[in-house]
Amino acid sequence: MRLVFLALLALTPSAWAGESLTLAAALARPDLRCKITGADTLSVSVENRSGSSVAVAQPAGLICEGRVITLRAAQMAVPAHQTVEALIPCAALSTRTPLASGDRRPTTDTEPRLAGLLDYFSRNNDVPRLTAQLLVLCVTEDITFASWRRFLGAQPGTEPTPQEIGAAIDALGVLREIHPQSTFALASDAELKLRALRNPLARAKAAQLYGFALPDAPLPPALGTLLHRKPGDNCPICRQRALMQPREDGL
């Protein structure tokens, strides 16, 4: 029998009968067949060939081959002679090793700089995948907005999508919360600032993050652009007259 569940779902205490192992320990057990594959989400399959149930409890922050790190804890109760699968969200630790599908094996590496971020993920299970990946790269590489878009595969000269702008502004807000005393390149990125303040969906949040107070209504036009004071000024009357003047080509 094969059971599947998401790693972020908690199991009841009654499900935790039997021995408890980490993923690395499960891989070393001859009576367990454990396989880890995936890119931005790891698919973990544990087949229990023994006669007793086994619990696999893996804390967040596991670094696997390919320099990917799990963002949430995994809890798997595997009954005897059954197979359980779990899905664990993960992120690339570096832009030099982009995410790619394939088999993974746990390593003994650690990344202490991500402790605060992993704690934030444990308390907020609704962080979008795009934002989570950017947050990891901000902490490990202090990445800029343009560099992050290159990591995503954006072609040079293309416009950022609203999703990219929104994810970057959300990431900046999280960084301000968990690392209030730190400075990040994303916070001083002029391109992100300009695009976020121009984006209708991100403008309000961006204004708050950058310390701007948006007016409740648009500012009125300058008086000189409304009133006719002298011939040739930039008022509606003079602009209309200029449009009505015959052109040299007779059109």
Side-chain angles (χ1 to χ4, degrees), residues 1 5 14 25-26 48 54 60 71 74 80 89 106 110 115 120 125 161 165 176-177 179 206 209 222 224 237-238:
M1 181 181 296
F5 61 90
S14 60
N48 184 3
V54 175
L71 303 181
T110 60
Y120 179 87
N125 60 9
T161 66
I165 296 173
R176 293 274 178 86
E177 178 180 339
H179 295 291
L209 288 171
I237 295 176
C238 291

mmCIF file of all heavy atoms in Angstrom, residues 1 5 14 25-26 48 54 60 71 74 80 89 106 110 115 120 125 161 165 176-177 179 206 209 222 224 237-238:
data_model
loop_
_atom_site.group_PDB
_atom_site.id
_atom_site.type_symbol
_atom_site.label_atom_id
_atom_site.label_comp_id
_atom_site.label_asym_id
_atom_site.label_seq_id
_atom_site.Cartn_x
_atom_site.Cartn_y
_atom_site.Cartn_z
ATOM 1 N N MET A 1 0.852 -1.194 0.000
ATOM 2 C CA MET A 1 0.000 0.000 0.000
ATOM 3 C C MET A 1 0.883 1.237 0.000
ATOM 4 O O MET A 1 1.914 1.286 0.661
ATOM 5 C CB MET A 1 -0.908 0.006 1.235
ATOM 6 C CG MET A 1 -1.851 1.212 1.290
ATOM 7 S SD MET A 1 -2.879 1.176 2.777
ATOM 8 C CE MET A 1 -3.822 -0.314 2.468
ATOM 9 N N PHE A 5 1.300 12.137 1.502
ATOM 10 C CA PHE A 5 0.844 13.324 2.222
ATOM 11 C C PHE A 5 1.885 14.413 2.074
ATOM 12 O O PHE A 5 3.018 14.174 1.674
ATOM 13 C CB PHE A 5 0.586 13.037 3.708
ATOM 14 C CG PHE A 5 1.803 12.574 4.469
ATOM 15 C CD1 PHE A 5 2.634 13.486 5.080
ATOM 16 C CD2 PHE A 5 2.106 11.221 4.559
ATOM 17 C CE1 PHE A 5 3.747 13.068 5.775
ATOM 18 C CE2 PHE A 5 3.222 10.801 5.254
ATOM 19 C CZ PHE A 5 4.043 11.725 5.862
ATOM 20 N N SER A 14 -0.550 9.554 17.964
ATOM 21 C CA SER A 14 -0.776 8.121 17.914
ATOM 22 C C SER A 14 -0.119 7.472 16.705
ATOM 23 O O SER A 14 0.077 6.259 16.679
ATOM 24 C CB SER A 14 -2.278 7.846 17.884
ATOM 25 O OG SER A 14 -2.878 8.448 16.743
ATOM 26 N N ALA A 25 19.445 8.416 8.109
ATOM 27 C CA ALA A 25 19.449 7.119 8.780
ATOM 28 C C ALA A 25 18.553 6.125 8.050
ATOM 29 O O ALA A 25 18.859 4.931 7.965
ATOM 30 C CB ALA A 25 18.999 7.282 10.228
ATOM 31 N N ALA A 26 17.440 6.614 7.504
ATOM 32 C CA ALA A 26 16.544 5.728 6.763
ATOM 33 C C ALA A 26 17.213 5.197 5.510
ATOM 34 O O ALA A 26 17.024 4.029 5.132
ATOM 35 C CB ALA A 26 15.258 6.476 6.407
ATOM 36 N N ASN A 48 8.795 0.577 3.716
ATOM 37 C CA ASN A 48 9.147 -0.149 4.939
ATOM 38 C C ASN A 48 8.960 -1.648 4.703
ATOM 39 O O ASN A 48 7.841 -2.156 4.637
ATOM 40 C CB ASN A 48 8.274 0.327 6.094
ATOM 41 C CG ASN A 48 8.656 -0.321 7.411
ATOM 42 O OD1 ASN A 48 9.614 -1.091 7.495
ATOM 43 N ND2 ASN A 48 7.901 -0.005 8.455
ATOM 44 N N VAL A 54 7.810 2.416 11.341
ATOM 45 C CA VAL A 54 8.986 3.288 11.465
ATOM 46 C C VAL A 54 8.535 4.726 11.271
ATOM 47 O O VAL A 54 7.717 5.019 10.387
ATOM 48 C CB VAL A 54 10.068 2.930 10.431
ATOM 49 C CG1 VAL A 54 11.217 3.934 10.493
ATOM 50 C CG2 VAL A 54 10.587 1.530 10.649
ATOM 51 N N ALA A 60 13.543 20.821 9.298
ATOM 52 C CA ALA A 60 13.830 21.703 8.168
ATOM 53 C C ALA A 60 15.320 22.042 8.163
ATOM 54 O O ALA A 60 15.997 21.976 9.181
ATOM 55 C CB ALA A 60 13.004 22.972 8.280
ATOM 56 N N LEU A 71 12.805 23.490 3.294
ATOM 57 C CA LEU A 71 12.293 24.667 3.987
ATOM 58 C C LEU A 71 11.310 24.330 5.096
ATOM 59 O O LEU A 71 10.940 25.208 5.876
ATOM 60 C CB LEU A 71 11.622 25.606 2.982
ATOM 61 C CG LEU A 71 12.503 26.067 1.814
ATOM 62 C CD1 LEU A 71 11.725 27.005 0.907
ATOM 63 C CD2 LEU A 71 13.783 26.721 2.308
ATOM 64 N N ALA A 74 9.756 17.409 7.847
ATOM 65 C CA ALA A 74 9.000 16.280 7.315
ATOM 66 C C ALA A 74 8.734 15.283 8.429
ATOM 67 O O ALA A 74 9.636 14.960 9.205
ATOM 68 C CB ALA A 74 9.769 15.607 6.180
ATOM 69 N N ALA A 80 4.416 -1.070 8.786
ATOM 70 C CA ALA A 80 5.129 -2.235 8.275
ATOM 71 C C ALA A 80 4.580 -2.644 6.909
ATOM 72 O O ALA A 80 3.366 -2.634 6.694
ATOM 73 C CB ALA A 80 5.018 -3.392 9.264
ATOM 74 N N PRO A 89 8.877 21.212 0.406
ATOM 75 C CA PRO A 89 9.359 22.366 -0.363
ATOM 76 C C PRO A 89 10.824 22.638 -0.056
ATOM 77 O O PRO A 89 11.277 22.499 1.082
ATOM 78 C CB PRO A 89 8.460 23.513 0.098
ATOM 79 C CG PRO A 89 7.915 23.073 1.418
ATOM 80 C CD PRO A 89 7.837 21.586 1.387
ATOM 81 N N PRO A 106 20.933 13.112 1.152
ATOM 82 C CA PRO A 106 21.240 14.072 2.222
ATOM 83 C C PRO A 106 22.741 14.233 2.417
ATOM 84 O O PRO A 106 23.517 13.298 2.201
ATOM 85 C CB PRO A 106 20.583 13.438 3.455
ATOM 86 C CG PRO A 106 19.586 12.471 2.923
ATOM 87 C CD PRO A 106 20.149 11.971 1.634
ATOM 88 N N THR A 110 25.453 22.233 6.750
ATOM 89 C CA THR A 110 24.479 23.078 7.437
ATOM 90 C C THR A 110 24.615 24.508 6.940
ATOM 91 O O THR A 110 25.647 24.890 6.371
ATOM 92 C CB THR A 110 24.672 23.048 8.968
ATOM 93 O OG1 THR A 110 25.987 23.533 9.284
ATOM 94 C CG2 THR A 110 24.491 21.636 9.509
ATOM 95 N N ALA A 115 18.786 30.119 9.772
ATOM 96 C CA ALA A 115 18.009 29.705 10.945
ATOM 97 C C ALA A 115 16.790 30.591 11.158
ATOM 98 O O ALA A 115 15.681 30.102 11.397
ATOM 99 C CB ALA A 115 18.900 29.703 12.184
ATOM 100 N N TYR A 120 10.861 31.403 10.475
ATOM 101 C CA TYR A 120 9.742 32.170 9.908
ATOM 102 C C TYR A 120 8.849 31.262 9.072
ATOM 103 O O TYR A 120 7.618 31.340 9.163
ATOM 104 C CB TYR A 120 10.283 33.317 9.054
ATOM 105 C CG TYR A 120 9.199 34.153 8.419
ATOM 106 C CD1 TYR A 120 8.639 35.225 9.102
ATOM 107 C CD2 TYR A 120 8.730 33.860 7.137
ATOM 108 C CE1 TYR A 120 7.627 35.986 8.530
ATOM 109 C CE2 TYR A 120 7.722 34.620 6.560
ATOM 110 C CZ TYR A 120 7.183 35.684 7.254
ATOM 111 O OH TYR A 120 6.181 36.420 6.689
ATOM 112 N N ASN A 125 3.013 29.251 6.941
ATOM 113 C CA ASN A 125 3.016 28.197 5.935
ATOM 114 C C ASN A 125 2.411 28.622 4.604
ATOM 115 O O ASN A 125 2.112 27.781 3.759
ATOM 116 C CB ASN A 125 2.272 26.960 6.447
ATOM 117 C CG ASN A 125 0.819 27.245 6.777
ATOM 118 O OD1 ASN A 125 0.298 28.319 6.473
ATOM 119 N ND2 ASN A 125 0.163 26.286 7.415
ATOM 120 N N THR A 161 7.663 40.564 -14.543
ATOM 121 C CA THR A 161 6.233 40.279 -14.435
ATOM 122 C C THR A 161 5.699 40.832 -13.116
ATOM 123 O O THR A 161 6.461 41.049 -12.165
ATOM 124 C CB THR A 161 5.985 38.766 -14.485
ATOM 125 O OG1 THR A 161 6.563 38.157 -13.315
ATOM 126 C CG2 THR A 161 6.597 38.146 -15.740
ATOM 127 N N ILE A 165 7.667 41.174 -9.345
ATOM 128 C CA ILE A 165 7.713 42.397 -8.544
ATOM 129 C C ILE A 165 7.060 42.165 -7.187
ATOM 130 O O ILE A 165 7.602 42.549 -6.139
ATOM 131 C CB ILE A 165 7.023 43.548 -9.292
ATOM 132 C CG1 ILE A 165 7.789 43.874 -10.580
ATOM 133 C CG2 ILE A 165 6.923 44.784 -8.404
ATOM 134 C CD1 ILE A 165 7.088 44.887 -11.459
ATOM 135 N N ARG A 176 12.901 42.574 6.407
ATOM 136 C CA ARG A 176 12.832 43.655 7.398
ATOM 137 C C ARG A 176 12.357 43.126 8.746
ATOM 138 O O ARG A 176 12.750 43.630 9.798
ATOM 139 C CB ARG A 176 11.881 44.745 6.904
ATOM 140 C CG ARG A 176 12.374 45.507 5.681
ATOM 141 C CD ARG A 176 13.275 46.655 6.048
ATOM 142 N NE ARG A 176 13.772 47.349 4.882
ATOM 143 C CZ ARG A 176 13.128 48.331 4.256
ATOM 144 N NH1 ARG A 176 11.938 48.708 4.688
ATOM 145 N NH2 ARG A 176 13.657 48.924 3.216
ATOM 146 N N GLU A 177 11.514 42.106 8.717
ATOM 147 C CA GLU A 177 10.962 41.557 9.954
ATOM 148 C C GLU A 177 11.958 40.666 10.682
ATOM 149 O O GLU A 177 12.117 40.781 11.912
ATOM 150 C CB GLU A 177 9.698 40.750 9.655
ATOM 151 C CG GLU A 177 9.081 40.091 10.884
ATOM 152 C CD GLU A 177 7.829 39.305 10.564
ATOM 153 O OE1 GLU A 177 7.208 39.567 9.513
ATOM 154 O OE2 GLU A 177 7.455 38.424 11.368
ATOM 155 N N HIS A 179 15.355 40.265 9.960
ATOM 156 C CA HIS A 179 16.712 40.811 10.061
ATOM 157 C C HIS A 179 16.641 42.341 10.063
ATOM 158 O O HIS A 179 17.138 43.005 9.142
ATOM 159 C CB HIS A 179 17.586 40.326 8.894
ATOM 160 C CG HIS A 179 17.830 38.855 8.877
ATOM 161 N ND1 HIS A 179 18.609 38.214 9.829
ATOM 162 C CD2 HIS A 179 17.405 37.893 8.023
ATOM 163 C CE1 HIS A 179 18.649 36.921 9.558
ATOM 164 N NE2 HIS A 179 17.926 36.699 8.476
ATOM 165 N N ALA A 206 4.871 48.726 -1.268
ATOM 166 C CA ALA A 206 6.197 49.290 -1.548
ATOM 167 C C ALA A 206 6.356 50.660 -0.911
ATOM 168 O O ALA A 206 7.407 50.983 -0.346
ATOM 169 C CB ALA A 206 6.417 49.372 -3.055
ATOM 170 N N LEU A 209 7.121 50.186 2.707
ATOM 171 C CA LEU A 209 8.469 49.676 2.944
ATOM 172 C C LEU A 209 9.532 50.734 2.704
ATOM 173 O O LEU A 209 10.535 50.798 3.413
ATOM 174 C CB LEU A 209 8.731 48.463 2.049
ATOM 175 C CG LEU A 209 8.000 47.169 2.419
ATOM 176 C CD1 LEU A 209 8.167 46.125 1.334
ATOM 177 C CD2 LEU A 209 8.521 46.635 3.747
ATOM 178 N N ALA A 222 -0.686 71.463 -12.393
ATOM 179 C CA ALA A 222 -0.188 72.807 -12.113
ATOM 180 C C ALA A 222 -1.136 73.840 -12.719
ATOM 181 O O ALA A 222 -1.722 73.633 -13.790
ATOM 182 C CB ALA A 222 1.219 72.972 -12.681
ATOM 183 N N GLY A 224 -0.665 76.595 -14.219
ATOM 184 C CA GLY A 224 -0.287 77.105 -15.528
ATOM 185 C C GLY A 224 -0.721 76.236 -16.677
ATOM 186 O O GLY A 224 -0.757 76.685 -17.828
ATOM 187 N N ILE A 237 -6.451 75.785 -24.066
ATOM 188 C CA ILE A 237 -6.840 76.610 -25.210
ATOM 189 C C ILE A 237 -5.697 76.706 -26.210
ATOM 190 O O ILE A 237 -5.872 76.497 -27.419
ATOM 191 C CB ILE A 237 -7.273 78.010 -24.728
ATOM 192 C CG1 ILE A 237 -8.539 77.899 -23.877
ATOM 193 C CG2 ILE A 237 -7.489 78.944 -25.918
ATOM 194 C CD1 ILE A 237 -8.976 79.220 -23.274
ATOM 195 N N CYS A 238 -4.489 77.001 -25.721
ATOM 196 C CA CYS A 238 -3.356 77.145 -26.633
ATOM 197 C C CYS A 238 -2.974 75.807 -27.260
ATOM 198 O O CYS A 238 -2.565 75.760 -28.425
ATOM 199 C CB CYS A 238 -2.163 77.753 -25.888
ATOM 200 S SG CYS A 238 -2.412 79.493 -25.432
#
